[in-house]
Amino acid sequence: MSIRHFHLWNIIVARKEDAEKEDFKLIVKEYQTDAIKEALDRQYGGQTIPVW
C-alpha cells in the first residue's frame, strides 16, 4: 500500500499548563507563516494542506 492511502497530520500540541508559555507561543507563531506554507508546497509538491 502506498503512502497516498494514509492521511497524515502534523499537529502542534501542548499540555494545558504549557500552552501559555512564551516558548510554545513562539513555536506556533514561527510555524504558521507564509514562508512555511511555501516551503511545504515546494517540498511536498502540493500534497500538504496547512490549516492554520
Side-chain angles (χ1 to χ4, degrees):
M1 179 177 276
S2 93
I3 192 72
R4 292 178 186 214
H5 292 97
F6 294 98
H7 295 281
L8 304 174
W9 299 78
N10 292 315
I11 301 172
I12 299 173
V13 298
R15 296 179 301 178
K16 191 181 275 189
E17 60 267 24
D18 294 334
E20 296 302 319
K21 289 185 177 179
E22 290 305 313
D23 290 343
F24 182 73
K25 288 181 177 183
L26 179 61
I27 290 168
V28 172
K29 178 183 174 188
E30 294 297 320
Y31 189 79
Q32 295 179 348
T33 64
D34 288 338
I36 294 295
K37 282 183 185 181
E38 292 167 8
L40 290 170
D41 192 43
R42 279 192 312 273
Q43 180 68 32
Y44 299 106
Q47 296 296 313
T48 62
I49 303 171
V51 293
W52 54 82

